[in-house]
Amino acid sequence: MEELDITSVGQFQTLVRYNNPVLVVKHPDKKGGAPLTEIEMKRPQTAGALLDTKRETEEILNSILPPRCWEEDGQLWQQSVSSTPATRQDVINLQEMLDTRLQQTQARETGICPVRRELYSQCFDEIIRQVTINCSERGLLLLRIRDEIAMSMEAYETLYCSSVAFGMRKALQAHEEKEMLRDRVKTLEQDKEALEEIIADMKLKQEQAERRNAELRASEEKKFTEEITFLKKTNAQLKAQLEGITAPKK
């Protein structure tokens, strides 16, 4: 027996039209009585009583929208998609159900909303079911479009997650670099204060040296001026003595 995907939920809420559930497996009765035999699971398209065209349509529908199975009260149920053609009223009802479900689930009208996306995906599946019953080729083409849209959405989600992760890494990196720059600024400010103290000390020493040099220069100039005055005075005296010696006597 082929293994099927079993869910623990017995009641599904979907916009896709399904047939009535069919009991697939019954477990032994725990209260007593003879155990029930396990029924071999058969897909709808293998039923020999169905017409070839209907069977082919059901096979295509089951390949597009596989039957869903779930376990409830120890019993296995299977439900396949409906192969009943849709009428104009069914399309109108589908639109009304879509609007109703959007309001009930309070789906967002704009932006990213998984609930709205799921409802529109179910609506698209129902449209594919309706189209496939009338024209299987058109339904298979819509299936390709649906799969392409789903693949594109997954690619966008992966890209979005990668972008978010990249943004987070960059934000953390920027935060770390910011902290490093703050520490660097503090270090430079401390170095600046130390250099300013050194500059102030050097300016003080420069002023003291300039004052000493000015005093020394003034002292040297005064000494030089006095020496020149003394030499001039001495020169004048010697010149007068020389003139007195060399002058003719009367």
Side-chain angles (χ1 to χ4, degrees), residues 196-220:
E196 287 178 350
E197 293 178 357
I198 295 174
I199 292 174
D201 185 57
M202 293 181 69
K203 285 183 178 179
L204 180 60
K205 292 181 179 180
Q206 179 187 3
E207 293 176 356
Q208 293 176 355
E210 288 179 353
R211 285 198 300 268
R212 287 196 300 268
N213 291 333
E215 293 174 357
L216 181 60
R217 186 170 57 252
S219 178
E220 292 292 333

Side-chain angles (χ1 to χ4, degrees), residues 158-170:
T158 303
L159 181 61
Y160 174 77
C161 294
S162 300
S163 301
V164 171
F166 179 77
M168 290 296 295
R169 289 196 302 269
K170 285 298 182 181

Side-chain angles (χ1 to χ4, degrees), residues 169-183:
R169 289 196 302 269
K170 285 298 182 181
L172 293 175
Q173 183 179 358
H175 181 70
E176 293 177 356
E177 292 180 354
K178 184 178 181 181
E179 294 297 329
M180 293 175 61
L181 289 175
R182 285 180 177 176
D183 296 337

Side-chain angles (χ1 to χ4, degrees), residues 3 14 17 24 52 86 96 101 131 134 138 152 180 200 205 225 248:
E3 183 178 357
T14 178
R17 186 174 182 180
V24 178
D52 293 339
E96 293 177 353
R101 292 291 303 278
V131 173
N134 297 326
R138 192 179 301 147
S152 300
M180 293 175 61
K205 292 181 179 180
T225 302

Side-chain angles (χ1 to χ4, degrees), residues 52-69:
D52 293 339
T53 55
K54 184 177 180 181
R55 183 176 59 200
E56 182 180 359
T57 301
E58 289 180 351
E59 290 178 355
I60 296 175
L61 286 175
N62 290 332
S63 64
I64 296 175
L65 300 170
R68 55 190 185 182
C69 299

Side-chain angles (χ1 to χ4, degrees), residues 124-140:
F124 194 22
D125 290 341
E126 172 62 16
I127 293 175
I128 293 176
R129 184 196 71 82
Q130 297 176 6
V131 173
T132 303
I133 295 173
N134 297 326
C135 180
S136 59
E137 291 79 7
R138 192 179 301 147
L140 292 174

